[in-house]
């Protein structure tokens, strides 16, 4: 079990570091809509990745075998966040 434990721990550690690094490259949103979208595009996949890792670790074998709702939900949100970040920023309205 030790080699498997090391493999899993290393994979989780690398994934965590990659997500945190991506999030760290973006500035938290302020008045810049495009920057806010980039930040959200980094933050949302990170949160869903963390939820998925936790759900996989906490799930029973039956839930993992079926793909579980966490895997489906994470994939859905990952695609939505990337699509959201790629949209053009909204034009300011003048009155």
């Amino acid at each position: 079990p030790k080699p498997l434990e090391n493999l899993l721990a290393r994979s989780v550690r690398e994934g965590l570091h990659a997500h945190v690094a991506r999030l760290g490259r973006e500035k938290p949103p302020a008045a810049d809509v495009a920057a806010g979208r980039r930040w959200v595009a980094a933050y949302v996949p990170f949160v869903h990745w963390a939820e998925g890792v936790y759900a996989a670790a906490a799930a029973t074998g039956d839930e993992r075998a079926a793909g579980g709702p966490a895997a489906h939900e994470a994939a859905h949100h990952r695609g939505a966040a990337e699509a959201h970040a790629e949209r053009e920023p909204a034009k300011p309205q003048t009155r």
Side-chain angles (χ1 to χ4, degrees):
K2 193 65 172 174
L4 179 57
E5 178 183 342
N6 291 337
L7 175 67
L8 293 173
R10 184 176 60 245
S11 295
V12 170
R13 188 179 315 106
E14 289 171 359
L16 177 62
H17 288 267
H19 281 284
V20 169
R22 180 177 178 208
L23 187 57
R25 288 190 298 270
E26 301 298 336
K27 301 291 182 246
D32 184 348
V33 173
R37 287 186 175 148
R38 286 190 304 272
W39 187 85
V40 167
Y43 179 78
V44 170
F46 168 58
V47 170
H48 290 287
W49 174 85
E51 290 172 339
V53 168
Y54 176 78
T60 66
D62 293 338
E63 291 168 340
R64 282 191 297 273
H72 172 74
E73 192 69 17
H76 168 74
H77 286 290
R78 184 171 42 254
E82 290 167 359
H84 180 74
E86 293 173 1
R87 286 197 317 232
E88 288 292 316
K91 303 282 188 232
Q93 294 182 346
T94 57
R95 291 182 186 195

